[in-house]
C-alpha cells in the first residue's frame, strides 16, 4: 500500500513519476517523453537531408542539444530515483536511456558526426516504455504468446519457402542461363526467386524465354501463400487467445464427452444436449 503523499520523500515522488504509470503525473510524464523521443528522432532524420542541414544547421544543432540535455537530466533523475541504481544502469532500458544522449557528447571528441547518427536513432527503442501503459501490456502479451505458439508452424513454412526458392531459382538458371545475362548462376536464380515469391518484384532480373515466364507465373502465384499462410496461422492463434480469457471451462458433456465449451454455455455444441456443470 502506497504511503500518503504528504509523507513521501523526494526520491519516492520521483520514482512514482518516472517509473510508475498508475498516477496522472507518471502518465503525463511518459507521454511527454514519448513525444520528445519522436521529435528528437525526426530531428536526427532531417539532419541527414543536405538541403535542410545547410539551411537550418544552427536550428537543428540547437534542437539536438536541447534533447540531449533533456534526456541527460531524465537519466540522472531515473538513476537517483531507482531503488537499485546498478540494476537500472545495466538494464535494457537503462542502457537505451544512456545511449539516447551519449552520442551527442561523443561527437564533441570524435570525428565523423554521421557515423553517430545511427546510434541516436536508438532513441526509438525508448518508445517501448509506452507498452507499460495500461492495456498495452495485456494486448502485447497476446501477440507475443501467439507468435511463440506459432513458432513451429512458421519455421516449417519458412523452411518450405527457402527450399522452394532454391528449387525454383535452380530451375530458372537451367532455363535462362544461356541467353539471359541477368541469370548467370544459381545464386542469381535464387535471388530472383526470393524477390518474386515474396511479391517484392524489384524488376532488375526478368525471365526472357517463354518457359522462364511460365515458371515465373507459377512462382508469382506461390507468392500469395507467403502472405496468406503465416497471416492465417498467427490470426488463428491470436483469435484463440483473445477468446480464451473470456473463458473456456472444462464442462464435460455427459452424452458425448466433449469438453470444449465456452463459459456459461447451456448446450453442447457437438451433440446439442443440455450441459450439467
Amino acid at each position: 500500500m502506497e504511503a500518503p503523499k504528504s509523507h513521501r520523500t523526494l526520491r519516492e515522488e520521483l520514482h512514482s513519476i518516472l517509473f510508475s504509470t498508475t498516477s496522472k503525473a507518471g502518465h503525463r510524464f511518459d507521454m511527454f517523453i514519448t513525444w520528445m523521443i519522436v521529435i528528437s528522432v525526426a530531428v536526427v532524420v532531417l539532419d541527414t537531408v543536405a538541403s535542410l542541414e545547410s539551411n537550418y544547421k544552427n536550428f537543428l544543432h540547437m534542437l539536438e542539444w536541447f534533447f540531449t540535455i533533456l534526456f541527460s537530466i531524465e537519466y540522472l533523475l531515473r538513476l537517483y530515483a531507482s531503488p537499485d541504481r546498478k540494476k537500472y544502469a545495466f538494464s535494457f532500458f537503462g542502457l537505451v536511456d544512456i545511449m539516447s544522449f551519449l552520442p551527442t557528447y561523443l561527437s564533441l571528441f570524435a570525428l565523423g558526426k554521421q557515423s553517430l547518427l545511427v546510434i541516436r536513432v536508438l532513441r526509438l527503442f525508448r518508445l517501448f516504455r509506452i507498452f507499460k501503459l495500461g492495456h498495452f501490456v495485456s494486448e502485447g502479451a497476446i501477440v507475443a504468446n501467439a507468435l511463440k505458439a506459432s513458432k513451429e508452424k512458421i519455421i516449417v513454412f519458412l523452411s518450405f519457402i527457402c527450399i522452394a526458392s532454391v528449387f525454383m531459382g535452380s530451375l530458372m538458371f537451367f532455363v535462362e542461363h544461356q541467353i539471359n545475362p541477368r541469370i548467370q548462376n544459381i545464386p542469381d536464380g535464387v535471388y530472383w526467386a526470393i524477390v518474386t515469391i515474396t511479391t517484392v518484384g524489384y524488376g532488375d532480373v526478368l525471365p526472357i524465354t517463354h518457359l522462364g515466364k511460365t515458371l515465373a507465373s507459377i512462382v508469382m502465384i506461390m507468392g500469395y501463400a507467403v502472405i496468406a499462410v503465416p497471416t492465417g496461422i498467427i490470426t488463428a492463434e491470436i483469435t484463440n487467445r483473445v477468446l480464451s480469457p473470456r473463458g473456456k471451462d472444462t464442462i464435460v458433456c455427459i452424452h458425448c464427452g466433449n469438453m470444449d465449451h465456452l463459459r456459461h454455455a447451456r448446450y453442447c455444441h457437438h451433440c446439442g444436449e443440455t450441459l450439467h456443470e
Side-chain angles (χ1 to χ4, degrees):
M1 186 174 181
E2 293 186 358
K5 192 171 183 180
S6 59
H7 294 152
R8 282 182 174 179
T9 64
L10 175 62
R11 189 174 177 183
E12 290 172 337
E13 282 290 339
L14 285 173
H15 184 273
S16 176
I17 295 172
L18 297 173
F19 291 96
S20 175
T21 58
T22 56
S23 64
K24 287 185 178 180
H27 177 78
R28 288 171 182 169
F29 178 79
D30 273 348
M31 297 310 297
F32 169 73
I33 287 297
T34 297
W35 279 108
M36 292 299 98
I37 293 168
V38 172
I39 296 172
S40 69
V41 172
V43 170
V44 172
V45 172
L46 294 175
D47 194 32
T48 62
V49 180
S51 59
L52 293 175
E53 200 273 339
S54 60
N55 294 328
Y56 302 98
K57 181 177 181 179
N58 292 333
F59 178 67
L60 293 174
H61 186 71
M62 181 182 66
L63 284 178
E64 178 59 32
W65 274 105
F66 166 76
F67 290 121
T68 297
I69 294 171
L70 175 66
F71 294 147
S72 300
I73 295 172
E74 182 209 359
Y75 177 78
L76 293 174
L77 290 175
R78 286 184 182 276
L79 198 62
Y80 170 74
S82 177
D84 190 337
R85 295 170 183 173
K86 185 177 180 180
K87 182 178 179 181
Y88 164 71
F90 290 97
S91 67
F92 171 76
F93 284 122
L95 293 174
V96 170
D97 286 346
I98 197 171
M99 292 305 295
S100 67
F101 61 83
L102 188 61
T104 307
Y105 295 120
L106 292 177
S107 66
L108 295 174
F109 308 100
L111 297 176
K113 176 186 173 185
Q114 297 296 323
S115 62
L116 296 173
L117 289 177
V118 176
I119 302 178
R120 291 177 192 171
V121 176
L122 288 175
R123 291 171 181 171
L124 283 173
F125 283 102
R126 301 192 68 210
L127 291 178
F128 281 105
R129 287 191 186 278
I130 200 171
F131 287 106
K132 291 187 175 182
L133 300 179
H135 63 279
F136 285 107
V137 175
S138 58
E139 299 300 328
I142 290 175
V143 176
N145 290 333
L147 289 172
K148 185 176 180 180
S150 306
K151 180 175 65 176
E152 289 79 9
K153 300 182 185 72
I154 293 174
I155 290 174
V156 170
F157 174 73
L158 290 177
S159 300
F160 168 77
I161 294 298
C162 291
I163 294 170
S165 297
V166 174
F167 179 70
M168 290 297 181
S170 301
L171 281 181
M172 185 59 75
F173 164 74
F174 175 77
V175 172
E176 297 270 326
H177 75 280
Q178 292 182 346
I179 59 174
N180 194 334
R182 296 284 186 175
I183 304 178
Q184 291 298 304
N185 48 56
I186 289 180
D188 289 341
V190 173
Y191 166 76
W192 165 84
I194 293 173
V195 169
T196 305
I197 206 170
T198 55
T199 70
V200 175
Y202 287 128
D204 54 341
V205 180
L206 299 172
I208 297 175
T209 65
H210 292 297
L211 184 57
K213 292 178 180 179
T214 301
L215 182 61
S217 300
I218 295 172
V219 175
M220 291 175 195
I221 294 172
M222 287 176 58
Y224 283 104
V226 175
I227 301 173
V229 174
T231 302
I233 292 172
I234 296 172
T235 301
E237 287 292 341
I238 291 177
T239 301
N240 288 336
R241 293 176 186 281
V242 168
L243 289 177
S244 184
R246 296 177 185 172
K248 284 189 177 181
D249 286 338
T250 307
I251 304 175
V252 181
C253 176
I254 61 175
H255 300 281
C256 68
N258 194 287
M259 297 185 295
D260 188 20
H261 298 96
L262 291 175
R263 187 173 299 144
H264 307 307
R266 298 176 61 189
Y267 301 96
C268 177
H269 65 80
H270 184 259
C271 68
E273 295 292 338
T274 303
L275 294 173
H276 301 280
E277 296 189 23

